[in-house]
Amino acid sequence: MSRRYDNEHGDSENKVYIGGLGDAAVGRHKEFERVFGYYGPLKNVWIAQQPPGFAFVFFEDRRDAEDAARALDGREICGVKAAVELSTARGGERGGGGGGG
């Protein structure tokens, strides 16, 4: 993922990756705003269309992103058990990279 992407969609330091969604998340921005907004103000929600299956939520504050990742990992989002983690790695690394972050 490029720095340009992060600049257009929010600060990469406050980005949370949500995976394992399949087609369930397409068109459900309001649900992401409701679920993740509980933990703090959001900058943006980006949901993958092609291929579907993952999303990124950008928080205004890193601590809110950390709280959301900790609380929501393995919980049901959009009707499926989702993987939720902070997205911090670059160059396709997993373990925090969030599938391309």
Side-chain angles (χ1 to χ4, degrees):
M1 184 166 310
S2 71
R3 175 52 96 189
R4 180 174 164 236
Y5 176 90
D6 291 336
N7 289 339
E8 289 176 358
H9 293 91
D11 187 351
S12 65
E13 293 296 314
N14 305 336
K15 180 170 61 173
V16 174
Y17 165 80
I18 306 96
L21 299 171
D23 293 330
V26 176
R28 302 201 41 195
H29 282 82
K30 293 291 184 196
E31 183 168 349
F32 281 90
E33 290 171 356
R34 180 185 57 78
V35 170
F36 287 87
Y38 174 82
Y39 297 93
L42 305 178
K43 284 186 174 181
N44 192 23
V45 173
W46 183 86
I47 301 171
Q49 303 290 315
Q50 290 294 327
F54 66 98
F56 290 103
V57 174
F58 298 84
F59 283 86
E60 289 185 12
D61 188 279
R62 172 98 178 152
R63 293 167 295 188
D64 295 335
E66 291 169 348
D67 290 346
R70 214 174 6 258
L72 295 173
D73 186 36
R75 304 292 291 275
E76 189 172 297
I77 300 172
C78 298
V80 297
K81 185 176 177 181
V84 181
E85 60 188 52
L86 286 175
S87 181
T88 56
R90 294 272 178 215
E93 297 174 31
R94 191 67 171 123

